[in-house]
Amino acid sequence: MSCRASPGGWPHAGGLGANFTSFSIVFLISALAAFQRIHATHDVAVNVYNGLDPYPQIGLATCTGREKEWADCGELLACPSLCRPVQCVFSGWSAWQNMGGCIGLCSRQRGIEVSNNECGSPCQGPVIQTIESPECLDDDCAVSFTPCTWGAWSEWSACQSSSGDKLGQSYRGRKIEQFPEGGGAACTGPWNQTRPCGTEAVAACVLSDWAGWSECSVS
């Protein structure tokens, strides 16, 4: 029985026998070798030959995941740490700087001179500080603090009632001479005073000098 090769495909014959062409034998050997090489790797080879193409198509499905896993041995002592601690170190503070405006604040800063490693301690504390001071005000912002001051007392007024009237009164007053400025202290105390008329002047008690000692009595 004779056979012939179909264009672009496998040899076509009425039945399989010993009359394969040399092309068919070479093709089968090559395809088997390719399949064996692919099968030897970690990938999965799938033969999807459809009987029409001159060469079989090989589809690869890649494996995912790990081939090994590690875990601590509970019965063994832990390995000593090879990390040598490096502690964090601050740099020095900068000079005080005016923060601007008329807020009366100055600030200073510092940075990290040495950074800690994974087993060292980080820096603790602020990197910016502020302070309130009159020295942190610009010259055009300075305000003088002037307290309030009283003027002098006036003379006592004359009594308007008749002599001896215990209800008559005399008074005197004073005024503010300087009002407070720039947040200065306010004036305290009365702005006027009164006193009764027609009464004797109040005098404090005064003791006389001691007398001489008396003679001692004899029983």
Side-chain angles (χ1 to χ4, degrees):
M1 181 182 296
S2 62
C3 65
R4 59 184 179 89
S6 301
W10 283 76
H12 178 74
L16 292 178
N19 293 324
F20 281 100
T21 62
S22 59
F23 170 78
S24 300
I25 296 175
V26 172
F27 169 75
L28 292 176
I29 295 175
S30 301
L32 180 61
F35 180 81
Q36 290 177 347
R37 287 195 303 270
I38 295 173
H39 186 69
T41 65
H42 292 289
D43 297 330
V44 176
V46 180
N47 190 344
V48 291
Y49 174 61
N50 54 17
L52 299 177
D53 296 333
Y55 300 101
Q57 299 176 356
I58 306 300
L60 301 180
T62 304
C63 294
T64 59
R66 298 181 178 179
E67 296 182 350
K68 293 182 180 180
E69 290 185 347
W70 290 265
D72 294 332
C73 298
E75 67 276 6
L76 299 179
L77 296 177
C79 297
S81 175
L82 300 179
C83 179
R84 296 183 178 181
V86 176
Q87 314 300 342
C88 177
V89 179
F90 277 122
S91 62
W93 286 103
S94 64
W96 290 104
Q97 298 291 332
N98 189 343
M99 298 182 66
C102 296
I103 59 177
L105 294 177
C106 290
S107 66
R108 66 177 182 174
Q109 302 179 5
R110 63 178 176 176
I112 295 178
E113 185 173 343
V114 179
S115 299
N116 61 292
N117 61 0
E118 64 273 14
C119 57
S121 299
C123 288
Q124 302 290 336
V127 295
I128 298 178
Q129 286 183 337
T130 58
I131 187 174
E132 183 178 6
S133 172
E135 298 180 356
C136 299
L137 287 171
D138 296 333
D139 295 338
D140 56 350
C141 295
V143 178
S144 59
F145 297 91
T146 305
C148 175
T149 55
W150 287 106
W153 286 101
S154 65
E155 297 294 332
W156 287 102
S157 66
C159 291
Q160 301 297 326
S161 62
S162 59
S163 177
D165 185 2
K166 296 183 180 180
L167 299 180
Q169 290 184 334
S170 175
Y171 67 89
R172 68 175 182 173
R174 61 179 177 174
K175 297 181 179 180
I176 293 177
E177 186 176 79
Q178 173 65 55
F179 286 91
E181 295 180 356
C187 288
T188 58
W191 64 273
N192 64 354
Q193 288 179 336
T194 60
R195 68 179 182 180
C197 293
T199 59
E200 297 180 357
V202 178
C205 178
V206 179
L207 294 173
S208 63
D209 295 335
W210 286 101
W213 291 101
S214 62
E215 295 181 359
C216 295
S217 61
V218 179
S219 57

